[in-house]
Amino acid sequence: LNIHELGNAVKPVVHTGESLEVKLIREGKEPGQALAYMDDGTMIVVGDARQLIGKTATVRVTSVLQTQSGKMIFAKIA
């Protein structure tokens, strides 16, 4: 049993269009972006949310990108 496969198997699946309740933690790389993280450490990049940093917001997933180091979720304020 591979520990990495086991870890990936228990991570929640997120689909485009799904709504999530997240706490916006800090600024993203691009102007206006804010970052949030899921419980499993998956980063969520939220566009046009910089003014909401430090608050909880409902976001709608616009895309999910699988990278070599994990998953990144892109979203907008719902």
Side-chain angles (χ1 to χ4, degrees):
L1 185 61
N2 183 315
I3 191 74
H4 295 292
E5 290 176 6
L6 180 61
N8 288 333
V10 296
K11 286 185 178 182
V13 177
V14 179
H15 300 287
T16 302
E18 187 173 341
S19 292
L20 303 170
E21 189 84 12
V22 297
K23 170 114 185 196
L24 299 166
I25 306 295
R26 61 186 177 105
E27 294 179 27
K29 285 185 179 179
E30 301 297 321
Q33 286 181 342
L35 299 180
Y37 294 90
M38 295 182 69
D39 291 338
D40 66 359
T42 302
M43 183 168 62
I44 304 170
V45 180
V46 184
D48 300 323
R50 185 175 183 179
Q51 71 280 5
L52 298 173
I53 291 173
K55 298 180 182 177
T56 300
T58 302
V59 299
R60 186 168 308 270
V61 176
T62 56
S63 65
V64 179
L65 176 66
Q66 183 66 47
T67 66
Q68 191 172 12
S69 59
K71 220 186 307 185
M72 284 180 60
I73 299 170
F74 294 89
K76 292 199 174 225
I77 298 295

